[in-house]
Amino acid sequence: MTEREQIRKTPTEAPAIEVDETPGVSDQAEKLKAELDDLLDEIDEVLETNAEEFVRSFVQKGGQ
Amino acid sequence: MSITKVCGIETEYGIVMRGVEDQNPIAASSILISAYLDEVAAGGANSGDGPLLGWDFEDEQPDRDARGFTPHGSQAPDIEMHLVNAVLTNGARYYVDHAHPELATPECSNARSVVVFDRAAERILQLSMDAANRILPPGQEIVIYKNNSDGKGNSYGCHENYMMDRETPFGRIVSDVTPHFITRQIFCGAGKVGCEAGLSSDEVPFQISQRADFFEEEVGLETTLKRPIINTRDEPHADPQKYRRLHVIIGDANMSEIATFLKVGSTAIVLAMIEDDFLPRKFTFAKPIRALRSVSYDLTLRQPLALSDGTTTTALAVQWELFERAAAFANKSGLACVGEEVGRDILAKWEEVLTGLESDPMALADQIDWVAKYRLIEGYRDRHGLDWSNARLNALDLQYHDLRADRSLSRRVGLQTICNESEIESAMSDPPLDTRAYFRGMCLKKFGDEIVSANWDSLVFDTGEKRLRRVPMLEPLRGTAAHVGSVLESSSSAAELLESLGA
């Protein structure tokens, strides 16, 4: 609780977060980074082969 | 006093038919659902299921407006009665709507239960794909996407429903829940590459929400055009003197169980607080639609949002205030209205996620959809040196929502789960125990041959007598296992059941 309170008091003074910065602030971030690298290594095997055609032909009727 | 937040989710899925010249999404949706129903009826996909049957439109009134009037020029949705439309033994409704397959979960008593039935719905769609693709000619394939936009300006919905006390003034609901709907996307947005509201990929390379681009009004009856932040459809599917059903059309379909849990859980608590008039501070946005889009376009979560009193706030500040009020509400009144234990979990997760969004949003990549998607796409973009306008990034975006197990990217990014496999499996055919969906589902399982039709608030039986017998179910919290479990158990025919119930 106190930790969060502390964080909360200064949101407007905090510098804008660089969302694409290399995480390294916690074990959790390190773990996620390693998993992402593994996924990116093998992702081409599951990706649609012709991305341009796939995206172009993905047309839906509007719904609710 | 706030009432139990009976709730559910209705999702329209994206559908693609591969291997044909001219796609007909209505036909494809019909094939998809029929193939599933045929397989279930044959005892295949979900053995143990009873028969399935048509929907009863007797009580559908999508044109009734909660404000008590229908503004001139307002377009009420049409009911499509001729298309495939079925009730499942888990109490769900599975049908073709607006050229999409749609599955509405059964009524649930809490947010966790909604997550289980939402995941079960995904499984049902997966089995439907498998069943349809077995009967399609070689080279043709139906693929289902759980998203809300085709990236070309066409959107389809993921709606939530919450039971509310009819005595709560609708105007108070509008004023008090709007700030939540504008800002909750920071944890329940599903993320999207680019913009469909006229801005370039330089201006909006990636945004938090799938749906924000499609909202143009603050309040209204429409769901397909000029979509409003607050939908005024007044169709309670329950005793209209006592209840209203808030029909929420602004959410994204989530792949992350935690995002669904937090979306439904936080909203249920906010609505309970509105019933008890527990939200003293009003965030009245100067321009709600602009604020909605600003939040979606701002990955730093720090963008100032103009309030009508001349001050500004941020999405995080609004969410922190709602959370603080919710914590105080829990201490003062308890959380029976959302389930005590589930309610505590909602508060803990809400606080954890807001803290994470404040300090390091990217560390929430295993919980929050837009973060998971952004990290994946940004990682790919970085590795291959691509511009944000590159089609491969749009392909990654779409494939995040692909329901095929061997293609889905969301199932590869390490999202945490909160449901276990066996409960998801059961929820594909068994109804929840603690709402009227239990009665609907169990009657279908046991006396399916004697049920003529069903809808949310009634079942019609043909027991072989001269007239059909309609059983009204106007109380969403009656007809539970506790109420009717033993009667259902001991009845050997529908006639006997109705006799015991005094129907």
Side-chain angles (χ1 to χ4, degrees):
Chain A
M1 195 67 172
T2 50
E3 187 182 17
R4 180 177 60 70
E5 286 294 336
Q6 209 172 15
I7 296 167
R8 284 204 54 210
K9 295 262 162 36
T10 57
T12 48
E13 296 134 45
I17 288 180
E18 287 293 328
V19 285
D20 58 351
E21 75 186 6
T22 307
V25 296
S26 67
D27 294 345
Q28 176 64 6
E30 289 292 350
K31 180 171 151 281
L32 289 169
K33 176 81 167 68
E35 284 169 2
L36 179 63
D37 283 340
D38 290 346
L39 175 58
L40 290 173
D41 287 341
E42 60 190 38
I43 197 168
D44 286 323
E45 287 166 30
V46 294
L47 287 188
E48 297 289 346
T49 44
N50 187 341
E52 212 148 303
E53 169 60 17
F54 166 59
V55 170
R56 193 189 57 74
S57 66
F58 189 93
V59 180
Q60 299 289 305
K61 288 256 198 289
Q64 297 199 28
Chain B
M1 251 323 260
S2 53
I3 63 169
T4 299
K5 287 284 145 290
V6 176
C7 47
I9 286 188
E10 26 176 314
T11 306
E12 288 181 322
Y13 293 83
I15 183 165
V16 168
M17 174 77 108
R18 297 183 166 214
V20 295
E21 278 295 307
D22 293 310
Q23 293 202 28
N24 179 341
I26 297 176
S29 300
S30 298
I31 292 167
L32 176 88
I33 298 174
S34 299
Y36 176 77
L37 300 179
D38 289 349
E39 201 150 294
V40 171
N46 258 340
S47 54
D49 271 349
L52 306 130
L53 74 153
W55 190 257
D56 175 1
F57 287 96
E58 176 95 352
D59 304 316
E60 302 271 308
Q61 295 159 324
D63 56 346
R64 185 170 291 180
D65 197 302
R67 294 168 294 186
F69 63 92
T70 305
H72 184 67
S74 186
Q75 280 211 354
D78 291 329
I79 300 177
E80 297 169 279
M81 298 176 58
H82 54 289
L83 298 169
V84 179
N85 208 321
V87 189
L88 307 184
T89 55
N90 69 357
R93 180 186 176 194
Y94 192 17
Y95 56 117
V96 182
D97 196 17
H98 297 277
H100 297 271
E102 173 158 347
L103 198 148
T105 67
E107 305 89 327
C108 298
S109 73
N110 63 71
R112 191 181 183 286
S113 182
V114 171
V115 179
V116 173
F117 281 91
D118 185 56
R119 293 284 281 134
E122 281 179 31
R123 295 289 169 84
I124 289 169
L125 268 292
Q126 286 172 332
L127 288 185
S128 303
M129 265 194 291
D130 296 343
N133 292 334
R134 274 195 287 274
I135 59 173
L136 284 172
Q140 291 185 17
E141 183 191 11
I142 289 175
V143 184
I144 299 299
Y145 296 82
K146 190 188 182 190
N147 66 356
N148 305 104
S149 146
D150 66 358
K152 300 171 184 66
N154 301 307
S155 185
Y156 31 102
C158 174
H159 298 177
E160 303 139 67
N161 296 290
Y162 302 89
M163 185 166 81
M164 293 193 72
D165 188 339
R166 175 63 69 172
E167 284 186 6
T168 306
F170 192 70
R172 187 160 89 213
I173 299 174
V174 172
S175 66
D176 286 14
V177 83
T178 296
H180 184 54
F181 289 163
I182 288 173
T183 58
R184 67 176 189 165
Q185 52 179 313
I186 63 176
F187 54 74
C188 59
K192 183 169 77 177
V193 172
C195 174
E196 293 169 275
L199 298 176
S200 70
S201 69
D202 288 337
E203 291 162 299
V204 183
F206 183 94
Q207 61 177 303
I208 286 173
S209 156
Q210 292 253 306
R211 289 276 273 177
D213 285 338
F214 300 100
F215 283 72
E216 300 173 46
E217 305 276 347
E218 292 164 42
V219 184
L221 190 57
E222 286 88 349
T223 54
T224 58
L225 296 161
K226 291 191 287 181
R227 294 181 184 86
I229 295 172
I230 305 284
N231 180 251
T232 55
R233 182 181 300 180
D234 189 5
E235 194 183 19
H237 296 314
D239 184 343
Q241 306 297 317
K242 294 166 71 176
Y243 308 119
R244 85 168 64 247
R245 170 180 66 116
L246 188 67
H247 183 233
V248 179
I249 68 169
I250 199 169
D252 290 356
N254 289 111
M255 304 309 297
S256 162
E257 293 182 7
I258 288 171
T260 301
F261 180 66
L262 206 44
K263 172 174 72 178
V264 176
S266 66
T267 302
I269 294 178
V270 167
L271 294 175
M273 290 195 287
I274 291 170
E275 283 172 333
D276 283 2
D277 207 5
F278 199 74
L279 290 174
R281 181 173 165 189
K282 313 286 188 204
F283 290 102
T284 309
F285 287 91
K287 295 187 170 158
I289 296 299
R290 180 180 290 184
L292 176 74
R293 293 186 184 172
S294 297
V295 173
S296 188
Y297 300 162
D298 169 35
L299 305 193
T300 72
L301 314 177
R302 295 292 195 276
Q303 179 77 28
L305 306 168
L307 297 174
S308 58
D309 64 5
T311 63
T312 63
T313 187
T314 66
L316 265 169
V318 173
Q319 280 300 317
W320 271 123
E321 173 135 346
L322 289 171
F323 167 77
E324 301 285 0
R325 290 305 294 175
F329 180 71
N331 286 336
K332 179 174 172 285
S333 313
L335 290 170
C337 56
V338 296
E340 284 293 352
E341 198 182 329
V342 173
R344 299 288 158 188
D345 289 346
I346 295 166
L347 287 180
K349 185 54 75 179
W350 198 353
E351 180 171 28
E352 178 196 332
V353 165
L354 291 181
T355 303
L357 288 170
E358 190 135 59
S359 57
D360 180 14
M362 292 304 113
L364 294 171
D366 57 347
Q367 301 193 61
I368 300 303
D369 280 314
W370 74 263
V371 178
K373 185 189 281 183
Y374 178 80
R375 279 186 90 244
L376 174 68
I377 294 178
E378 175 61 16
Y380 190 86
R381 195 180 79 85
D382 184 50
R383 186 173 282 209
H384 297 277
L386 305 176
D387 286 339
W388 272 105
S389 58
N390 192 296
R392 285 156 79 185
L393 305 185
N394 299 89
L396 285 167
D397 183 347
L398 293 172
Q399 228 179 307
Y400 184 85
H401 304 273
D402 192 326
L403 283 194
R404 292 173 297 177
D406 61 341
R407 294 285 180 175
S408 167
L409 296 183
S410 59
R411 296 297 163 229
R412 287 179 160 73
V413 295
L415 291 171
Q416 292 180 33
T417 58
I418 55 179
C419 308
N420 60 56
E421 281 301 313
S422 67
E423 61 186 337
I424 296 172
E425 190 77 24
S426 303
M428 292 170 66
S429 53
D430 298 339
L433 300 174
D434 52 3
T435 67
R436 67 182 175 192
Y438 178 81
F439 182 72
R440 182 187 311 120
M442 294 309 287
C443 282
L444 271 172
K445 269 179 187 260
K446 197 162 176 186
F447 308 116
D449 290 343
E450 295 173 273
I451 298 176
V452 179
S453 65
N455 64 22
W456 297 117
D457 54 18
S458 70
L459 285 180
V460 178
F461 290 86
D462 181 353
T463 57
E465 296 160 58
K466 265 189 186 158
R467 60 185 184 87
L468 300 177
R469 294 169 72 174
R470 174 182 288 267
V471 177
M473 306 189 293
L474 292 171
E475 289 290 339
L477 289 170
R478 298 193 56 135
T480 65
H483 291 137
V484 298
S486 59
V487 175
L488 269 163
E489 184 72 30
S490 62
S491 300
S492 57
S493 68
E496 206 180 314
L497 172 72
L498 297 182
E499 188 68 28
S500 303
L501 293 171

